[in-house]
Structure formats: C-alpha cells, structure tokens
Amino acid sequence: MTHMEVIMINAIRIHGHPLSGHAHRVSLFAALAGIAHEEVTIDLLAGEHKQAPFLKLNPAGQVPVIEDGETVVTDSNAILVYLAKKYAPDWLPEAPEAAAAVQRWLTAAAGEVAFGAATARLITVFGAPLDADRALAVAASVNGKLEAHLAENDFLAGSRPTIADVAVYSYTAHGPEGNVDLSPYPNLRRWIAAVEALPGFVAMQSTSAGLVAA
C-alpha cells in the first residue's frame, strides 16, 4: 500500500456541490487546516440529494455531509465545529470571550447571511422563487454590521482567523452573484482579501449571475 493510498483511506469524505456555499465553507476549512479529505460531488440539479443512498447520510436531504470513519456529521456549521475540535483546535478558541465571539458569527452565518446574500444568490443563480428585495435588505444590514466590526478587527473573532471567518466568507464574498453590492464596504472587502490570502485557500466556483454578469 502506497502513502497516497493510506491518505485516501483515512481521508474524510465531504459530500457537497461546487456551487453550494454551505459545502464550500467545509471544503475551505479542510484545506486551510490541512485536513486530508476527499470531495464527493452530489448532483443537486438532478435531485441526488433527495434520493437514496444520500438520504441515509442526511434524511434532511441537504449538503454538506461529512463521513469521518463511522461518524457522520451534517449541517455546515456543526461540521466546522466538529473538524476544529477534532483536528484543528487553533481555529476554535476555548477562552469564553473568544468562543462567544465565534458563536456570534456562526449564528450570523446561519441567519442573516443565509437569509441575505445566500438567498439573493439562490434567486439569481438557481432561479429560486424567493423575495429578492427582502434578501438584499437583509444582506445590506449584515454587511453593514460586518463593515463596522471589521473597522476595528482583522478577523471576525479577533486577530487571527477562526471558523467564524470560514462560515461567513463563502456567501459574503460571492454576494455580487446575487446582486449584493460590496463596493460600499472597504473593510469587508479587505477582510475578504485577507481570507483569500490565507495559506491553503481554495476558491468556490463562481457564476456569471447578478452584478458579476453586469
């Protein structure tokens, strides 16, 4: 057995899709943290996520899902916590204040970012029948909060990157694909560039939708 074969046998399997920001945040973290992993593409457009055998991994029919040996973890933020706790503790601080700061932005990623930039992108990229005006208003609100926070912080939970940055990055950076204008937010754009400059960074597949098309 070769060294490469050993790595692949031990690698975590990440089930996702190239256009999913939720899946990208997991793949991005694995790359940044140097966690051996294998990408398994689930064909969302063909409805593979709503069929067996994927539903055996996640009955909710959503990506991402990871398999780490016999352990299966669903929900992108839960996966980030799991991977950080097990393989990359430097990305999830234990100190109460720092841990609370990380949780604050994980909540934002699952809330305002999901209902803002992520929803706006669902509309333009996938044709989802959702309220574009509301999504853009939510995106503007959370981007304003990020802009103010990043005026005094290099990263979301302090002076070094954490899983909070990973959770918020993907949909925020790709907001223009959903017609979310990032030009009014210099601190936010500086932070996006800082994340993209981290060793091991891997980009999410872009589309020509929204402002990108313009």
Side-chain angles (χ1 to χ4, degrees), residues 121-204:
R121 185 171 170 275
L122 278 174
I123 294 167
T124 58
V125 174
F126 297 102
L130 301 169
D131 188 336
D133 289 339
R134 180 178 183 276
L136 291 175
V138 174
S141 175
V142 69
N143 284 349
K145 295 174 185 177
L146 286 163
E147 177 70 11
H149 180 73
L150 290 165
E152 299 180 354
N153 298 274
D154 293 334
F155 293 98
L156 294 184
S159 60
R160 58 162 295 151
T162 66
I163 59 171
D165 301 283
V166 179
V168 173
Y169 166 81
S170 300
Y171 285 120
T172 301
H174 286 258
E177 295 175 26
N179 288 317
V180 178
D181 185 6
L182 298 181
S183 63
Y185 311 107
N187 296 319
L188 180 57
R189 288 186 280 109
R190 185 270 308 159
W191 168 78
I192 289 172
V195 173
E196 293 173 352
L198 293 172
F201 174 83
V202 291
M204 185 169 89

